[in-house]
Amino acid sequence: MAIKEKSQSIARPPLSAAEGIKIKGARVHNLKDVTVTIPRNKLIVVTGVSGSGKSSLTIDTLFAEGQRRYAESLSAYARQFMQRMNKPDVDYIKGLCPAIAIEQKVITRTPRSTVGSMTEIYDYLRLLYARVGKTISPVSGREVKKDDVGDVVKAIKELKEGDKVLIIVPFKKHAKRNTKEELNILLQKGFSRTASPAANGALEPNRIEDLLELKDKELPEKLYLLVDRLVVKGPIAIGFDEDDIHRISDSVSTAFYEGDGEMMLEINGKKILQFSNKFELDGLQFEEPVPNLFSFNNPYGACPTCEGFSQILGLDADLIIPNKNLSLYEEAVAPWKGEKLGWWREQFIKGSKSFGFPIHKPIIDLTEEQVQQLWEGHGSVLGINDFFKEVEQNLYKVQYRVLLSRYRGRALCTDCKGYRLRKEALYVKVGGKHIGELCNLPVKDLQQWFDKLKLNDYDEQVAKRILLEINHRIKTLIDVGLGYLTLNRLANSLSGGESQRIQLTRSLGSNLTNSLYILDEPSIGLHSRDTERLIHVLKELRNLG
């Protein structure tokens, strides 16, 4: 006779509302009076077959009640702008904290939103470039800087002992005043001398009273206002004393004021050093870096041609050259066909010998320079752009309008090259790259770039917190399996799973505590090797509290 032993199970005491979230009598959709207590500060997985009520319990009961309670905490004035939220069919829910649902759907439809803006990485990049970015002149490749009084004083200190220095300003004449009237005004301001080039090219001081006695025809053609004269006293350690430095600083400040931001130093009658407190170089005026300069959602920073969308309605290269495996000789350029329009192809083939264009080489194998020659032409040889310019000149004829419409479509902006920003923003660089180039890099390559980034001590201190936030978000993106995305990837082109994991990255960056996160199948579409990293990210979210 078999003896059955009755095993005694140790019953766990029920969790209190302070320790967990108590749901009593949930009847939403197909739930049948479900009562459950969900512990706090834990990673809870709700599983079951399709239709078992997983989403009904989590999204339609827990999240819906959390959202409704938050809305009730707002003022009556604020609630009138929100849609009515019905109470879930449940007896009561105790211990509920603020709820955030991250569902598998693309929440953004605007073409302006990108992966960079959704994860806030782009916002931190804007800050980084505004704080430590260096504006590089496209003409000379030199850094654009504003000179101040300290820069001029430093330049004077570094000169040799005994060097004679003139602090001068270009003489500017008002449109409605003659030279003598201007000299009288300078005299009234307290200035006593000007300088003009002598026969040997050196500047020679002149007293303003002496110039006023001359006839108009006898006045020098080129004049400078002489603000101060000085002789360098020697090495910095034993050279200018404090009074000298104050005098030089005052003179330099006066020179900047009188010269509308520009002044010069003439050294020993031979060398002239130019200084400007304007943000300009090589004859170009540049914009000072501010965060809005790098925002394509702001009219100040957006490309004026495409308005920050990166695309314009123009010539579609894929329609003009549909099969890039063909060569120019094999009629790769679609509009250059037929008896009449074929002339364009023939003239290009005839003229291609003069600059060595390979007419039998497939378009896909051409170098960037050769593709540019095909589009822009070379010398007297006309290219594709010249063809369409002639088409646009004949748009009063219906056949030309039909021809142009065949090859028009969404094309990359010709001004910003798809970077969405005005050209002044692309002159600002960090580590040799502008912000548009960073947004074109995959996230995993971007992480390597930031790991190798070298800044000077001052810039590193300024950017310390910004780089910390950027690296944290990039690491999270890679951990959730999105290292292949670029920051300029449009948000409305993402799949539901990608969009959900990007929202997860943003939630981790916000560092919210005492919150309830509800995720709808976060591992869907992930490779099995990335699932473990995703779980690690979710545990990080749990550990925030």
Side-chain angles (χ1 to χ4, degrees), residues 76 78 80 165 185 198 206 211 265 330 410 422 430 449 452 481 484 502:
Q80 70 177 331
V165 180
I185 292 171
N206 310 303
L211 293 176
L265 297 178
E330 296 168 327
R410 289 195 176 276
R422 56 190 288 192
V430 173
W449 186 85
K452 296 175 183 176
Y484 57 88
I502 283 175

Side-chain angles (χ1 to χ4, degrees), residues 438-504:
L438 292 191
C439 291
N440 278 348
L441 291 175
V443 171
K444 58 179 183 293
D445 293 343
L446 190 61
Q447 185 185 42
Q448 294 174 6
W449 186 85
F450 272 108
D451 289 341
K452 296 175 183 176
L453 179 63
K454 300 292 182 185
L455 299 173
N456 61 44
D457 293 339
Y458 175 77
D459 288 346
E460 194 169 342
Q461 195 63 31
V462 170
K464 185 177 179 181
R465 183 57 193 270
I466 301 172
L467 291 173
L468 192 69
E469 294 289 347
I470 291 173
N471 287 325
H472 175 63
R473 282 166 169 78
I474 289 176
K475 179 181 177 297
T476 309
L477 270 179
I478 293 173
D479 286 345
V480 297
L482 297 178
Y484 57 88
L485 292 179
T486 58
L487 295 185
N488 64 357
R489 170 81 175 266
L490 292 178
N492 56 15
S493 68
L494 298 169
S495 68
E498 287 172 336
S499 182
Q500 184 191 39
R501 294 200 289 279
I502 283 175
Q503 291 178 66
L504 186 61

Side-chain angles (χ1 to χ4, degrees), residues 111-112 114 117 121-130 287 289-312 412-430 433-440 487-488:
R112 287 189 178 275
T114 63
S117 59
I121 293 175
Y122 191 75
D123 296 324
Y124 284 104
L125 283 179
R126 286 167 49 209
L127 269 178
L128 178 71
Y129 273 78
E287 295 289 343
V290 291
N292 279 346
L293 180 63
F294 307 100
S295 173
F296 47 78
N297 290 324
N298 190 302
Y300 181 63
C303 169
T305 304
C306 64
E307 297 180 348
F309 286 99
S310 80
Q311 291 184 325
I312 56 173
L412 207 63
C413 177
T414 52
D415 280 355
C416 67
K417 309 300 180 189
Y419 293 129
R420 299 171 168 238
L421 299 170
R422 56 190 288 192
K423 61 183 180 182
E424 288 85 357
L426 302 179
Y427 295 151
V428 184
K429 298 188 178 182
V430 173
K433 288 186 181 291
H434 59 68
I435 195 168
E437 291 173 320
L438 292 191
C439 291
N440 278 348
L487 295 185
N488 64 357

Side-chain angles (χ1 to χ4, degrees), residues 123-349:
D123 296 324
Y124 284 104
L125 283 179
R126 286 167 49 209
L127 269 178
L128 178 71
Y129 273 78
R131 298 291 176 263
V132 302
K134 310 296 182 190
T135 304
I136 307 298
S137 169
V139 178
S140 62
R142 290 188 294 154
E143 183 183 343
V144 183
K145 290 193 297 185
K146 287 170 68 173
D147 296 316
D148 57 17
V149 174
D151 294 327
V152 182
V153 172
K154 184 182 177 183
I156 293 172
K157 283 181 176 181
E158 291 173 352
L159 296 174
K160 295 177 183 178
E161 183 179 0
D163 281 350
K164 295 178 181 179
V165 180
L166 299 183
I167 300 176
I168 55 174
V169 170
F171 180 80
K172 294 184 178 180
K173 191 169 69 172
H174 193 273
K176 294 183 179 179
R177 290 197 288 261
N178 60 35
T179 305
K180 286 193 174 181
E181 287 175 336
E182 289 288 353
L183 289 171
N184 266 316
I185 292 171
L186 290 176
L187 201 59
Q188 292 168 15
K189 285 181 178 180
F191 296 104
S192 59
R193 287 181 175 82
T194 60
S196 57
N200 60 357
L203 292 179
E204 190 176 76
N206 310 303
R207 292 182 62 83
I208 294 179
E209 289 95 335
D210 296 340
L211 293 176
L212 289 173
E213 293 175 1
L214 299 175
K215 295 179 180 178
D216 288 343
K217 292 181 180 179
E218 296 174 342
L219 289 171
E221 291 184 8
K222 197 167 187 180
L223 275 175
Y224 295 93
L225 171 61
L226 181 56
V227 179
D228 203 352
R229 297 182 291 181
L230 54 102
V231 177
V232 181
K233 287 188 176 180
I236 297 173
I238 58 171
F240 295 114
D241 56 27
E242 191 174 345
D243 291 338
D244 293 331
I245 297 298
H246 279 306
R247 174 194 158 183
I248 295 169
S249 299
D250 288 343
S251 298
V252 171
S253 298
T254 305
F256 273 130
Y257 177 77
E258 292 295 332
D260 293 331
E262 294 180 357
M263 62 152 293
M264 293 179 286
L265 297 178
E266 194 214 43
I267 303 155
N268 297 327
K270 299 175 183 177
K271 186 179 178 183
I272 288 184
L273 298 179
Q274 292 189 340
F275 296 90
S276 172
N277 64 7
K278 297 178 182 177
F279 205 63
E280 59 185 19
L281 187 68
D282 301 324
L284 297 175
Q285 183 76 36
F286 296 88
E287 295 289 343
E288 293 189 50
V290 291
N292 279 346
L293 180 63
F294 307 100
S295 173
F296 47 78
N297 290 324
N298 190 302
Y300 181 63
C303 169
T305 304
C306 64
E307 297 180 348
F309 286 99
S310 80
Q311 291 184 325
I312 56 173
L313 189 63
L315 299 174
D316 191 334
D318 292 330
L319 293 175
I320 295 170
I321 308 176
N323 187 356
K324 291 183 172 56
N325 291 317
L326 297 178
S327 65
L328 176 66
Y329 190 80
E330 296 168 327
E331 299 186 339
V333 182
W336 288 359
K337 292 180 181 179
E339 187 176 339
K340 187 176 180 182
L341 299 180
W343 175 87
W344 289 85
R345 183 175 68 92
E346 290 169 7
Q347 62 87 27
F348 196 98
I349 290 173

